[in-house]
Amino acid sequence: MYPKEIIEKLIKAQKAVVLTGAGISAESGISTFRGTGGQWDKVDPMKLATPEAFAKDPKYVWEWYEARRRQLREAKPNMGHDVIAGMEEFFPKFTLITQNVDRLHQKAGSRNPIELHGSIWMARCAGIPSCGEWEDRHELVNLPPQCPHCGALVRPGVVWFGEGLPGEAWAEAEKAALECDVFFVIGTSALVHPAASLPETAIQKGKLVIEINPEETPLSGLVTLSVRSHAGPALELLREKLLANDSA
Ligand code: OAD
């Protein structure tokens, strides 16, 4: 699965980046967005994951996210999350970038992942214009609450289609992609931009780029190594190889 020369390069790498998508949480029982049985197979994302959808039917949107929060509250990180958390100790400089809003990376021990699409455990004022109020929101409530600051409705603290990414998070992610020695892209369909442009940047800059995904993606033919496997077993094997070589 991992050629010897790739392992040798990884052992020497100083700066590593990992970009994850919904596939990293699939082995925790959280369904991905695309593909058969995926979340966007059951609901139209345009009726759910846009500011317009929330303006039109805030109750429907809030209830969907509340159901996800209920499911996520019980979810546990899997082997893939665990190995990625351990990478922080292995590489001298390590940056984790995730498109996921579930915070399972943090539950596994990852310290400061860059959350490109926000977090389902945050909420913010949806007023137009917004008063800018953000809050941690862990308790479950069935209706969108009111902003304690200005009285407008509160919305999930995630990035929706048509919205910009958090500026600071994006700047940090782009910098990491430009400066890294190795870029792992794990469990993402690589269809949603701008997140998908990060591995594209790494490829263009001639970095070592390793994809882990059971399915082919638009990046598969462009990366240095495409590992066609589920994240958990592929990352567990990678950890074994790196630790064996490191101590050899
Ligand atoms: P997708 O649902 O588009 O893609 C999930 C990817 O995970 C697919 O390529 C699967 O082949 C792969 N996969 C499935 N099981 C896996 C496993 N066990 N191990 C590794 N890979 C596996 O999810 P994302 O690429 O994360 O945005 O989607 C990007 C964004 O689109 C999301 O953040 C979300 C969505 O709409 C918003 O809601 C704004």
Side-chain angles (χ1 to χ4, degrees):
M1 200 183 268
Y2 300 102
K4 197 166 183 302
E5 59 272 21
I6 297 269
I7 296 296
E8 281 165 5
K9 282 187 183 162
L10 289 176
I11 300 283
K12 288 189 199 133
Q14 296 293 306
K15 296 179 187 172
V17 171
V18 171
L19 170 70
T20 61
I24 192 71
S25 296
E27 288 156 65
S28 294
I30 309 300
S31 55
T32 58
F33 293 99
R34 294 172 184 79
T36 314
Q39 302 186 44
W40 297 157
D41 212 22
K42 297 177 199 139
V43 284
D44 177 355
M46 293 305 130
K47 293 198 178 125
L48 202 81
T50 65
E52 294 77 19
F54 185 79
K56 195 167 169 211
D57 195 345
K59 185 170 176 288
Y60 171 71
V61 173
W62 184 266
E63 277 173 356
W64 188 82
Y65 279 93
E66 212 54 11
R68 286 200 69 202
R69 281 150 54 91
R70 237 172 230 116
Q71 186 194 15
L72 283 169
R73 215 154 62 150
E74 309 304 321
K76 294 194 171 51
N78 63 59
M79 176 60 73
H81 295 107
D82 288 347
V83 174
I84 292 170
M87 284 179 170
E88 275 180 26
E89 308 305 323
F90 188 83
F91 294 103
K93 175 129 179 55
F94 180 76
T95 307
L96 173 58
I97 307 165
T98 188
Q99 297 166 87
N100 298 347
V101 298
D102 57 28
R103 294 225 163 138
L104 286 179
H105 282 301
Q106 288 93 326
K107 264 197 190 175
S110 285
R111 271 173 295 187
N112 282 312
I114 300 175
E115 296 180 316
L116 287 183
H117 292 167
S119 165
I120 202 163
W121 301 111
M122 298 290 290
R124 71 179 168 95
C125 171
I128 303 172
S130 169
C131 74
E133 183 84 356
W134 279 85
E135 58 175 19
D136 279 317
R137 180 155 276 279
H138 288 267
E139 83 276 23
L140 301 165
V141 285
N142 288 330
L143 291 171
Q146 283 184 308
C147 172
H149 188 66
C150 74
L153 289 184
V154 159
R155 55 162 279 183
V158 302
V159 175
W160 281 330
F161 290 104
E163 294 184 315
L165 301 191
E168 209 176 300
W170 178 248
E172 215 186 312
E174 257 194 322
K175 186 167 182 281
L178 283 168
E179 291 180 353
C180 71
D181 302 315
V182 55
F183 192 110
F184 293 91
V185 50
I186 304 173
T188 174
S189 56
L191 291 172
V192 175
H193 284 82
S197 71
L198 295 168
E200 289 167 3
T201 298
I203 291 165
Q204 278 159 16
K205 294 281 170 195
K207 312 284 185 186
L208 173 62
V209 181
I210 300 175
E211 176 181 64
I212 300 177
N213 197 311
E215 306 286 337
E216 191 172 349
T217 76
L219 299 175
S220 302
L222 306 171
V223 296
T224 321
L225 176 69
S226 182
V227 178
R228 207 57 60 76
S229 163
H230 293 102
L235 283 166
E236 191 177 15
L237 179 66
L238 180 66
R239 178 169 66 185
E240 278 168 23
K241 296 246 176 211
L242 290 178
L243 294 179
N245 254 56
D246 206 26
S247 57

